[in-house]
């Protein structure tokens, strides 16, 4: 999991502002994921990508957008349409392919609303 | 789609006792069942996983059992220590994984 980095560690968002969370991996993994974690809650899937230039919505995609222009990078944008964005955001990656493999998580970004 | 239920949501044990966390899943096609440990403010880290072609796997004080017929799998931690205190998540499915809501384990010294 040391091969996945997220930045920044903390991010502050003002009302009506879009912010972008960075996720980079050097594990040569095809699949990447974004999860949202609220206090005392589990991991809820926002978006995932199994290959470059392709991604799918997860359970809570509304108010978020992603891109996958490079294999190593999967940035998440929290748009102004997301009315309650305060949470801990975790990026993960896995080898990908037909069968599920271990997902490795980044250190997370904590997003706070001013 | 897959649905994963995890119990209990909180668990307190005395140091040295055993802890058991159970998960059930709904998709009979699921073939991979990992367990993650998350310490406060940190990332989830894989502690053990099992695939559908085996019924049990052990790694020192940690073991996982799988019952494919009943669609449930369990995490067993023996001789618990204070550093085992954390939130534990089970997961199941193909791509993507579906996570349980977590179990907060407290080991009391």
């Amino acid at each position: 999991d040391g091969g996945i980095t997220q930045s920044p560690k903390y991010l502050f968002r003002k009302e009506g502002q879009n912010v972008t969370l960075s996720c980079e991996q050097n594990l040569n993994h095809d699949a990447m994921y974004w999860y949202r974690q609220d206090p005392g809650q589990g991991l809820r899937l926002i978006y995932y990508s199994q290959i470059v230039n392709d991604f799918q919505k997860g359970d809570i995609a509304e108010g978020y957008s992603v891109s996958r222009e490079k294999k190593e990078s999967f940035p998440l944008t929290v748009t102004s349409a997301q009315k309650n964005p305060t949470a801990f955001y975790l990026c993960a990656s896995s080898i990908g392919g037909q069968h599920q493999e271990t997902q490795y998580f980044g250190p997370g970004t904590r997003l706070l609303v001013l | 789609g897959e649905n994963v239920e995890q119990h209990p949501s909180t668990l307190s044990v005395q140091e040295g006792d055993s802890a058991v966390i159970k998960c059930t899943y709904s998709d009979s096609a699921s073939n991979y069942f990992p367990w993650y440990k998350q310490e406060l403010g940190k990332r989830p880290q894989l502690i053990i996983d099992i695939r559908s072609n085996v019924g049990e796997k052990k790694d020192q004080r940690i073991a996982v059992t799988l019952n494919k017929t009943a669609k449930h799998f369990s995490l067993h931690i023996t001789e618990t220590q204070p550093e085992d205190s954390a939130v534990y998540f089970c997961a199941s499915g193909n791509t993507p994984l579906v996570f349980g809501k977590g179990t907060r384990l407290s080991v009391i010294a």
Side-chain angles (χ1 to χ4, degrees), chain A residues 1-2 4 33 35 37 40-43 45 48 50 88 90 97-107 110, chain B residues 31-32 34 36 38 40-46 49 51 87 89 92-102 104:
Chain A
D1 56 334
I4 301 180
Y33 314 82
Y35 293 90
Q37 188 173 36
Q41 300 295 312
L43 302 169
L45 184 65
Y48 66 102
Q50 295 180 264
F88 188 45
L90 287 158
Q98 185 179 3
H99 300 291
Q100 184 55 256
E101 298 290 339
T102 302
Q103 285 185 197
Y104 297 93
F105 286 87
R110 196 167 298 279
Chain B
N31 57 13
Y32 178 62
Y36 287 84
Q38 186 179 28
L40 189 63
K42 298 192 175 179
R43 74 185 86 187
Q45 294 198 310
L46 179 76
D49 57 9
R51 297 195 180 272
V87 178
F89 293 97
S92 174
N94 290 298
T95 299
L97 285 173
V98 176
F99 286 81
K101 292 190 175 182
R104 183 174 299 278

Side-chain angles (χ1 to χ4, degrees), chain B residues 7-99:
Chain B
H7 299 281
S9 57
T10 60
L11 179 61
S12 292
V13 299
Q14 293 289 330
E15 182 179 359
D17 287 350
S18 296
V20 180
I21 303 170
K22 299 181 179 180
C23 287
T24 61
Y25 62 99
S26 60
D27 187 352
S28 57
S30 293
N31 57 13
Y32 178 62
F33 308 91
W35 285 90
Y36 287 84
K37 175 183 180 182
Q38 186 179 28
E39 296 177 351
L40 189 63
K42 298 192 175 179
R43 74 185 86 187
Q45 294 198 310
L46 179 76
I47 55 171
I48 196 167
D49 57 9
I50 192 168
R51 297 195 180 272
S52 58
N53 56 347
V54 297
E56 183 174 0
K57 184 177 179 180
K58 192 172 182 180
D59 182 5
Q60 299 182 349
R61 297 187 296 108
I62 295 173
V64 56
T65 58
L66 172 64
N67 183 327
K68 285 219 72 180
T69 303
K71 291 192 228 171
H72 67 71
F73 56 112
S74 300
L75 177 70
H76 305 253
I77 306 175
T78 58
E79 301 173 20
T80 53
Q81 301 167 3
E83 51 265 37
D84 294 328
S85 297
V87 178
Y88 292 81
F89 293 97
C90 64
S92 174
N94 290 298
T95 299
L97 285 173
V98 176
F99 286 81

Side-chain angles (χ1 to χ4, degrees), chain A residues 33-82:
Chain A
Y33 314 82
W34 274 107
Y35 293 90
R36 169 177 171 147
Q37 188 173 36
D38 293 282
Q41 300 295 312
L43 302 169
R44 292 189 289 168
L45 184 65
I46 305 173
Y47 270 97
Y48 66 102
S49 168
Q50 295 180 264
I51 198 167
V52 174
N53 292 322
D54 189 39
F55 47 83
Q56 288 78 40
K57 293 181 179 180
D59 300 320
I60 56 166
E62 186 174 351
Y64 300 96
S65 65
V66 293
S67 63
R68 187 84 188 277
E69 297 177 1
K70 298 186 299 182
K71 187 174 185 177
E72 307 78 31
S73 178
F74 191 39
L76 173 74
T77 296
V78 184
T79 74
S80 56
Q82 173 51 246

